[in-house]
Amino acid sequence: MELTDAMRTVGTCRYFTGDAVPDDVLYRAFDAARFGPQGGNRQPVRWVVVRDAQRKQALADLYLPLWKAYLGAIGDGSVNVGALPKTVQDADHFAEHLAQAPAIVVVCAEIDGLHPTDLELDRFSVVGGASIYPTVQNFCLALRDQGVGSAVTTLLCHHEPQVRELLGLPDGVITAAHVAIGYPAKGFPRKLTRSAVEDIVSAESYGTPYFAGAGV
């Protein structure tokens, strides 16, 4: 499909059919994903495809309490997700049925292939993800091109030690995300809700609108 259409409709799929995603579809998605930009072309991303029902259930059992705690924080107002009740309901359904996704792809990364340049700043580090998440987005777009939905979550990274043991991850390899994939039970979104360009792009200094009044 046309790239911009894929980017505008890839969304987060939280309802899957029971149909398996064929290996050749997965192969094409991984083949496209590996061309994502990464620092120094170190190519740190590794993937583990989990189809086994028991392993998927084990991942889901780890995920669900984390989600329920987050859901409770949304309910008491300590976490603000905005006025998105339908999204929260869909996310709860996703958590309750994660084990039923046709496959869960665990995104891993070799630490030696990352070069975070923000470790000494007085804030949490994010830069290392620049060599990981563009590749993940490529993967989701390549799946969307083939009619396959995806849902990226980082919540389960909280339980990396348990996931490491479950999947036999070696030392020096970390988890960065988990991607549930499958054919969408409710189709793809026709329109995603996102902030307007005028609200998110600044000119020269933060908060000075770049496109205000430009008529673009």
Side-chain angles (χ1 to χ4, degrees), residues 39-115:
N41 197 28
R42 293 182 180 90
Q43 303 180 55
V45 177
R46 298 292 184 268
W47 317 81
V48 179
V49 180
V50 179
R51 292 188 184 273
D52 177 75
Q54 290 185 336
R55 281 196 175 91
K56 288 193 297 180
Q57 187 63 60
L59 291 173
D61 289 344
L62 291 171
Y63 183 88
L64 188 59
L66 294 172
W67 163 254
K68 291 300 185 180
Y70 187 75
L71 181 62
I74 294 174
D76 66 24
S78 57
V79 171
N80 180 19
V81 297
L84 301 171
K86 179 65 166 59
T87 299
V88 173
Q89 292 172 8
D90 291 343
D92 193 51
H93 177 276
F94 172 80
E96 295 277 2
H97 298 83
L98 178 58
Q100 298 171 25
I104 301 173
V105 178
V106 183
V107 184
C108 305
E110 296 179 332
I111 296 176
D112 289 346
L114 305 176
H115 183 58

Side-chain angles (χ1 to χ4, degrees), residues 48 55 108 160-171 173:
V48 179
R55 281 196 175 91
C108 305
E160 183 174 288
Q162 294 93 322
V163 174
R164 177 180 301 282
E165 181 178 359
L166 179 68
L167 304 181
L169 302 182
D171 292 341
V173 173

Side-chain angles (χ1 to χ4, degrees), residues 7-33:
M7 293 168 65
R8 287 177 175 269
T9 61
V10 64
T12 297
C13 182
R14 296 185 175 94
Y15 297 84
F16 301 107
T17 71
D19 298 331
V21 179
D23 284 344
D24 61 326
V25 172
L26 274 178
Y27 187 94
R28 285 191 290 270
F30 288 126
D31 188 36

